[in-house]
Amino acid sequence: MLRHAVAAVLAILVAAPAPAPALAQVQPFPPGFTERDIVTNGTTIHVRSGGHGPAVLLLHGYGETGDMWAPLATDLSRDHLVIVPDLRGMGLSSKPAGGYDKKTQAADIVGVLDALKIGRTDLVTHDIGNMVGYAFAARNRDRVTRFVLMDAPLPGIGPWNELLKNPLLWHFRFGGPVMERLVAGRERIYLDRFWNEFSASAAKFSEASRVHYAALYARPGAMHAGFAQFAAFDRDAGDNAGFVAAGKLTMPVLAIGGAKSFGPMMATVMRFAASDVTEGVIPDSGHWLMEEQPAATIAVVRGFLDTKR
């Protein structure tokens, strides 16, 4: 499991879309949330938004879409304006042929915020969302007030090269036309591998969620876009090296890991890229924090965002 990869690295450190199938019911966003498509930066980003107060932007990762954030959005919308996009190529956003490096996707996010007339925002991210969020924060430091990252490393930062050696992460190099043909019609099989192996308890990733996300990833172009997210990692690593060279992030950062996944490694990684890092570990959770331990994760995020600095 992923925790074995993390343990090994810590030891080294110390030493035109077709109609989609009907989707299963997952937790909906609260009443009053609206949905719109924002055309920006050569793509179209599907965005949910609702609530009132200071802005908070939630960025999802691979194997899920913005729908993963419904429980957190419900809590935060009591006193925040919550913005939840689907990243380029995923969910209900458009699926262009390219642009899956995280610096380009950070420009997508700039376009979304500008269209919504939002200047500064808190930022909460997971998995691939961490990478897009970091590129956004590094290039727009005056627009991010607080930054929460959950359970995934950043290409090129900290122990990245050691992580790449672990066979559990074979999917980082899995892609291309042949792989797309192998997975076509078998999206659920491919995605179950992530949901099962990266969970502390696979049963916590519900059947309704599996059906919901598998249907979205079966849409035309979706798996190509997903593979392209990983194929861009080498370019992302180079871009991130430039961001770090320009100086560490100075806004408050909370780095959260699942106890049975990245755990305290998240804070270890982020201290290479940020100067004000708080560590958070969610007990009895693997990678899928919002599926496995939503209440505990929401409490930690809420506590950090509510802290006055």
Side-chain angles (χ1 to χ4, degrees):
M1 294 181 70
L2 189 58
R3 61 179 179 271
H4 299 309
V6 174
V9 174
L10 280 173
I12 291 169
L13 287 176
V14 173
L23 302 183
Q25 181 65 41
V26 296
Q27 180 172 331
F29 282 79
F33 266 66
T34 60
E35 299 188 37
R36 63 182 288 190
D37 292 327
I38 295 175
V39 178
T40 180
N41 197 33
T43 191
T44 301
I45 303 297
H46 185 76
V47 181
R48 310 152 191 81
S49 60
H52 300 279
V56 56
L57 174 68
L58 312 181
L59 300 181
H60 69 90
Y62 184 75
E64 296 180 295
T65 69
D67 293 325
M68 68 169 281
W69 294 118
L72 180 60
T74 299
D75 182 278
L76 292 178
S77 63
R78 294 185 285 111
D79 50 12
H80 289 77
L81 170 60
V82 183
I83 305 100
V84 187
D86 286 342
L87 295 177
R88 170 187 293 242
M90 295 199 261
L92 298 179
S93 291
S94 67
K95 296 161 180 63
Y100 294 99
D101 63 282
K102 310 313 174 289
K103 186 161 72 172
T104 295
Q105 292 186 78
D108 297 347
I109 299 306
V110 170
V112 167
L113 294 178
D114 288 348
L116 297 174
K117 296 180 170 52
I118 294 169
R120 290 169 62 79
T121 183
D122 289 336
L123 182 58
V124 181
T125 64
H126 177 248
D127 191 79
I128 294 289
N130 289 354
M131 304 173 190
V132 177
Y134 174 67
F136 170 72
R139 301 188 78 197
N140 302 273
R141 298 173 189 234
D142 60 337
R143 296 188 74 166
V144 179
T145 50
R146 292 178 181 81
F147 188 5
V148 180
L149 303 94
M150 299 185 189
D151 211 77
L154 299 178
I157 291 180
W160 175 255
N161 289 333
E162 295 304 322
L163 284 170
L164 289 180
K165 296 174 184 177
N166 193 284
L168 188 67
L169 301 180
W170 57 265
H171 58 280
F172 284 8
R173 301 297 186 187
F174 186 84
V178 173
M179 286 69 166
E180 289 178 35
R181 288 173 59 202
L182 287 171
V183 173
R186 306 177 182 88
E187 294 84 5
R188 170 66 187 267
I189 296 171
Y190 183 71
L191 292 166
D192 270 339
R193 179 259 169 175
F194 295 92
W195 299 327
N196 292 340
E197 292 189 13
F198 295 163
S199 296
S201 171
K204 292 285 186 69
F205 205 106
S206 72
E207 178 63 17
S209 292
R210 291 168 189 256
V211 172
H212 177 84
Y213 292 123
L216 287 168
Y217 278 85
R219 288 186 167 214
M223 290 304 296
H224 170 81
F227 292 145
Q229 297 281 357
F230 298 111
F233 280 177
D234 288 344
R235 179 174 174 181
D236 299 334
D239 289 338
N240 288 347
F243 298 148
V244 171
K248 291 184 176 184
L249 302 180
T250 57
M251 75 285 292
V253 169
L254 172 63
I256 304 175
K260 298 186 178 180
S261 183
F262 274 88
M265 167 70 76
M266 278 305 304
T268 298
V269 169
M270 286 312 300
R271 289 188 178 108
F272 286 91
S275 59
D276 182 3
V277 178
T278 300
E279 176 186 305
V281 177
I282 304 300
D284 195 29
S285 183
H287 177 64
W288 309 104
L289 300 166
M290 288 303 303
E291 292 281 349
E292 298 182 66
Q293 296 294 340
T297 303
I298 290 168
V300 171
V301 172
R302 162 65 77 171
F304 180 75
L305 295 184
D306 286 349
T307 301
K308 291 182 172 56
R309 300 258 182 151

